[in-house]
CSV table of all heavy atoms in Angstrom, one decimal:
chain,number,residue,atom,x,y,z
V,362,MET,N,11.3,1.7,-0.9
V,362,MET,CA,10.5,0.6,-1.4
V,362,MET,C,9.1,0.6,-0.6
V,362,MET,O,9.1,0.7,0.6
V,362,MET,CB,11.2,-0.7,-1.2
V,362,MET,CG,10.6,-1.9,-1.9
V,362,MET,SD,11.4,-3.4,-1.5
V,362,MET,CE,13.1,-3.0,-2.0
V,408,THR,N,3.8,-9.7,-3.3
V,408,THR,CA,5.1,-10.2,-3.1
V,408,THR,C,6.1,-9.1,-3.5
V,408,THR,O,5.8,-8.0,-4.0
V,408,THR,CB,5.4,-11.5,-3.8
V,408,THR,OG1,6.6,-12.1,-3.3
V,408,THR,CG2,5.5,-11.4,-5.3
V,409,ALA,N,7.4,-9.4,-3.3
V,409,ALA,CA,8.4,-8.4,-3.5
V,409,ALA,C,8.5,-8.0,-5.0
V,409,ALA,O,8.3,-8.8,-5.9
V,409,ALA,CB,9.8,-9.0,-3.1
V,410,PRO,N,8.7,-6.6,-5.2
V,410,PRO,CA,8.8,-6.1,-6.6
V,410,PRO,C,9.9,-6.9,-7.4
V,410,PRO,O,9.6,-7.1,-8.6
V,410,PRO,CB,9.2,-4.7,-6.4
V,410,PRO,CG,8.7,-4.3,-5.1
V,410,PRO,CD,8.8,-5.6,-4.2
V,411,VAL,N,11.0,-7.3,-6.8
V,411,VAL,CA,12.0,-8.0,-7.6
V,411,VAL,C,11.5,-9.4,-8.1
V,411,VAL,O,11.9,-9.8,-9.2
V,411,VAL,CB,13.3,-8.2,-6.7
V,411,VAL,CG1,13.0,-9.2,-5.5
V,411,VAL,CG2,14.4,-8.7,-7.5
V,412,ILE,N,10.6,-10.0,-7.3
V,412,ILE,CA,10.0,-11.2,-7.8
V,412,ILE,C,9.0,-11.0,-8.9
V,412,ILE,O,8.9,-11.7,-9.9
V,412,ILE,CB,9.3,-12.0,-6.6
V,412,ILE,CG1,10.3,-12.4,-5.6
V,412,ILE,CG2,8.6,-13.2,-7.1
V,412,ILE,CD1,9.7,-13.0,-4.4
V,441,TRP,N,21.5,-17.6,0.3
V,441,TRP,CA,20.4,-17.2,1.2
V,441,TRP,C,20.6,-17.8,2.6
V,441,TRP,O,20.3,-17.2,3.6
V,441,TRP,CB,19.1,-17.5,0.5
V,441,TRP,CG,17.9,-17.0,1.3
V,441,TRP,CD1,17.1,-17.6,2.1
V,441,TRP,CD2,17.4,-15.6,1.3
V,441,TRP,NE1,16.1,-16.8,2.6
V,441,TRP,CE2,16.3,-15.6,2.1
V,441,TRP,CE3,17.8,-14.4,0.6
V,441,TRP,CZ2,15.6,-14.4,2.3
V,441,TRP,CZ3,17.1,-13.3,0.9
V,441,TRP,CH2,16.0,-13.3,1.7
V,444,LYS,N,23.2,-16.3,4.6
V,444,LYS,CA,22.8,-15.0,5.1
V,444,LYS,C,21.8,-15.0,6.2
V,444,LYS,O,21.9,-14.3,7.2
V,444,LYS,CB,22.3,-14.1,4.0
V,444,LYS,CG,21.9,-12.7,4.3
V,444,LYS,CD,21.5,-11.9,3.2
V,444,LYS,CE,21.2,-10.4,3.5
V,444,LYS,NZ,22.4,-9.7,4.0
V,445,THR,N,20.8,-15.9,6.1
V,445,THR,CA,19.7,-15.9,7.0
V,445,THR,C,19.8,-16.9,8.1
V,445,THR,O,19.1,-16.8,9.1
V,445,THR,CB,18.4,-16.1,6.3
V,445,THR,OG1,18.4,-17.4,5.6
V,445,THR,CG2,18.1,-15.0,5.2
V,571,GLU,N,12.7,-16.4,8.1
V,571,GLU,CA,13.3,-15.1,7.6
V,571,GLU,C,12.5,-13.9,8.3
V,571,GLU,O,13.1,-12.8,8.3
V,571,GLU,CB,13.1,-15.0,6.1
V,571,GLU,CG,14.1,-15.9,5.3
V,571,GLU,CD,13.6,-17.3,5.2
V,571,GLU,OE1,12.5,-17.7,5.7
V,571,GLU,OE2,14.3,-18.1,4.6
V,599,CYS,N,7.4,-16.2,3.9
V,599,CYS,CA,8.2,-15.0,3.9
V,599,CYS,C,8.0,-14.2,2.6
V,599,CYS,O,8.1,-12.9,2.7
V,599,CYS,CB,9.6,-15.3,4.1
V,599,CYS,SG,10.4,-16.4,2.9
V,600,PHE,N,7.6,-14.8,1.5
V,600,PHE,CA,7.4,-14.0,0.3
V,600,PHE,C,6.0,-14.2,-0.3
V,600,PHE,O,5.7,-13.8,-1.4
V,600,PHE,CB,8.4,-14.5,-0.8
V,600,PHE,CG,9.8,-13.9,-0.6
V,600,PHE,CD1,10.8,-14.8,-0.1
V,600,PHE,CD2,10.1,-12.6,-0.8
V,600,PHE,CE1,12.1,-14.3,0.1
V,600,PHE,CE2,11.4,-12.1,-0.6
V,600,PHE,CZ,12.4,-13.0,-0.1
V,640,ALA,N,11.1,-17.4,-9.3
V,640,ALA,CA,10.7,-16.6,-8.1
V,640,ALA,C,11.8,-16.7,-7.0
V,640,ALA,O,12.3,-15.7,-6.4
V,640,ALA,CB,9.4,-17.0,-7.5
V,641,LEU,N,12.3,-17.9,-6.8
V,641,LEU,CA,13.3,-18.1,-5.8
V,641,LEU,C,14.6,-17.4,-6.1
V,641,LEU,O,15.2,-16.8,-5.3
V,641,LEU,CB,13.6,-19.6,-5.6
V,641,LEU,CG,14.6,-20.0,-4.5
V,641,LEU,CD1,14.2,-21.2,-3.7
V,641,LEU,CD2,16.0,-20.3,-5.2
V,642,CYS,N,15.0,-17.5,-7.4
V,642,CYS,CA,16.3,-16.9,-7.8
V,642,CYS,C,16.2,-15.4,-7.6
V,642,CYS,O,17.2,-14.7,-7.4
V,642,CYS,CB,16.7,-17.3,-9.2
V,642,CYS,SG,17.1,-19.1,-9.3
V,643,ALA,N,15.0,-14.8,-7.8
V,643,ALA,CA,14.9,-13.4,-7.6
V,643,ALA,C,14.7,-13.0,-6.2
V,643,ALA,O,15.3,-12.0,-5.7
V,643,ALA,CB,13.6,-12.9,-8.4
V,644,ALA,N,14.0,-13.9,-5.4
V,644,ALA,CA,13.8,-13.6,-4.0
V,644,ALA,C,15.0,-13.6,-3.1
V,644,ALA,O,15.2,-12.8,-2.3
V,644,ALA,CB,12.7,-14.6,-3.5
V,645,TYR,N,15.9,-14.6,-3.4
V,645,TYR,CA,17.0,-14.9,-2.6
V,645,TYR,C,18.2,-14.0,-3.0
V,645,TYR,O,19.3,-14.4,-3.4
V,645,TYR,CB,17.4,-16.3,-2.6
V,645,TYR,CG,16.5,-17.3,-1.8
V,645,TYR,CD1,16.7,-18.6,-1.8
V,645,TYR,CD2,15.5,-16.8,-1.1
V,645,TYR,CE1,15.9,-19.5,-1.0
V,645,TYR,CE2,14.6,-17.6,-0.3
V,645,TYR,CZ,14.9,-19.0,-0.3
V,645,TYR,OH,14.1,-19.8,0.5
V,646,THR,N,17.9,-12.6,-2.9
V,646,THR,CA,18.9,-11.6,-3.3
V,646,THR,C,18.8,-10.5,-2.2
V,646,THR,O,17.9,-10.5,-1.3
V,646,THR,CB,18.5,-11.0,-4.6
V,646,THR,OG1,17.1,-10.5,-4.6
V,646,THR,CG2,18.6,-12.0,-5.7
V,647,GLU,N,19.6,-9.5,-2.3
V,647,GLU,CA,19.6,-8.4,-1.4
V,647,GLU,C,18.3,-7.6,-1.5
V,647,GLU,O,17.7,-7.2,-0.5
V,647,GLU,CB,20.8,-7.4,-1.7
V,647,GLU,CG,22.1,-7.9,-1.2
V,647,GLU,CD,22.1,-8.1,0.3
V,647,GLU,OE1,21.6,-7.2,1.1
V,647,GLU,OE2,22.6,-9.1,0.8
V,648,ALA,N,17.8,-7.5,-2.7
V,648,ALA,CA,16.5,-6.8,-2.9
V,648,ALA,C,15.4,-7.5,-2.2
V,648,ALA,O,14.5,-6.9,-1.5
V,648,ALA,CB,16.2,-6.6,-4.4
V,649,GLY,N,15.4,-8.9,-2.3
V,649,GLY,CA,14.4,-9.7,-1.6
V,649,GLY,C,14.5,-9.6,-0.1
V,649,GLY,O,13.5,-9.5,0.7
V,650,TYR,N,15.7,-9.5,0.4
V,650,TYR,CA,16.0,-9.4,1.8
V,650,TYR,C,15.5,-8.1,2.4
V,650,TYR,O,14.8,-8.0,3.4
V,650,TYR,CB,17.5,-9.6,2.1
V,650,TYR,CG,17.8,-9.6,3.6
V,650,TYR,CD1,17.6,-10.8,4.4
V,650,TYR,CD2,18.2,-8.5,4.3
V,650,TYR,CE1,17.9,-10.8,5.7
V,650,TYR,CE2,18.5,-8.5,5.6
V,650,TYR,CZ,18.3,-9.7,6.4
V,650,TYR,OH,18.6,-9.7,7.7
V,651,ARG,N,15.7,-7.0,1.6
V,651,ARG,CA,15.3,-5.7,2.1
V,651,ARG,C,13.8,-5.6,2.1
V,651,ARG,O,13.2,-5.0,3.0
V,651,ARG,CB,15.8,-4.6,1.1
V,651,ARG,CG,17.3,-4.3,1.2
V,651,ARG,CD,17.7,-3.0,0.5
V,651,ARG,NE,17.4,-3.1,-0.9
V,651,ARG,CZ,18.2,-3.5,-1.8
V,651,ARG,NH1,19.4,-4.0,-1.5
V,651,ARG,NH2,17.9,-3.5,-3.1
V,652,TRP,N,13.1,-6.3,1.2
V,652,TRP,CA,11.6,-6.3,1.2
V,652,TRP,C,11.1,-7.0,2.4
V,652,TRP,O,10.2,-6.5,3.1
V,652,TRP,CB,11.1,-7.0,-0.1
V,652,TRP,CG,9.6,-7.0,-0.2
V,652,TRP,CD1,8.8,-6.0,-0.6
V,652,TRP,CD2,8.7,-8.0,0.2
V,652,TRP,NE1,7.5,-6.3,-0.5
V,652,TRP,CE2,7.4,-7.6,0.0
V,652,TRP,CE3,9.0,-9.3,0.7
V,652,TRP,CZ2,6.3,-8.4,0.2
V,652,TRP,CZ3,7.9,-10.1,1.0
V,652,TRP,CH2,6.5,-9.7,0.7
V,653,ILE,N,11.7,-8.1,2.8
V,653,ILE,CA,11.3,-8.9,4.0
V,653,ILE,C,11.4,-8.0,5.2
V,653,ILE,O,10.6,-8.0,6.1
V,653,ILE,CB,12.1,-10.2,4.1
V,653,ILE,CG1,11.6,-11.2,3.2
V,653,ILE,CG2,12.0,-10.7,5.6
V,653,ILE,CD1,12.3,-12.5,3.3
V,654,ARG,N,12.5,-7.2,5.3
V,654,ARG,CA,12.7,-6.4,6.5
V,654,ARG,C,11.7,-5.3,6.5
V,654,ARG,O,11.2,-4.9,7.6
V,654,ARG,CB,14.1,-5.8,6.5
V,654,ARG,CG,15.3,-6.7,6.6
V,654,ARG,CD,15.0,-7.9,7.6
V,654,ARG,NE,14.7,-7.4,8.9
V,654,ARG,CZ,14.1,-8.1,9.9
V,654,ARG,NH1,13.8,-9.4,9.7
V,654,ARG,NH2,13.9,-7.6,11.1
V,655,GLU,N,11.3,-4.8,5.4
V,655,GLU,CA,10.2,-3.8,5.4
V,655,GLU,C,8.9,-4.4,5.9
V,655,GLU,O,8.1,-3.8,6.6
V,655,GLU,CB,10.0,-3.2,4.0
V,655,GLU,CG,11.2,-2.3,3.6
V,655,GLU,CD,10.7,-1.3,2.5
V,655,GLU,OE1,9.5,-1.0,2.4
V,655,GLU,OE2,11.6,-0.7,1.9
V,656,VAL,N,8.6,-5.6,5.4
V,656,VAL,CA,7.4,-6.3,5.9
V,656,VAL,C,7.4,-6.5,7.4
V,656,VAL,O,6.4,-6.3,8.1
V,656,VAL,CB,7.2,-7.6,5.1
V,656,VAL,CG1,6.0,-8.4,5.7
V,656,VAL,CG2,6.9,-7.4,3.6
Side-chain angles (χ1 to χ4, degrees):
M362 191 185 303
T408 192
V411 67
I412 297 176
W441 186 259
K444 181 178 184 63
T445 62
E571 287 80 1
C599 57
F600 285 105
L641 180 139
C642 291
Y645 284 179
T646 59
E647 283 299 319
Y650 185 80
R651 288 195 299 271
W652 182 82
I653 284 182
R654 296 318 305 163
E655 287 204 20
V656 174

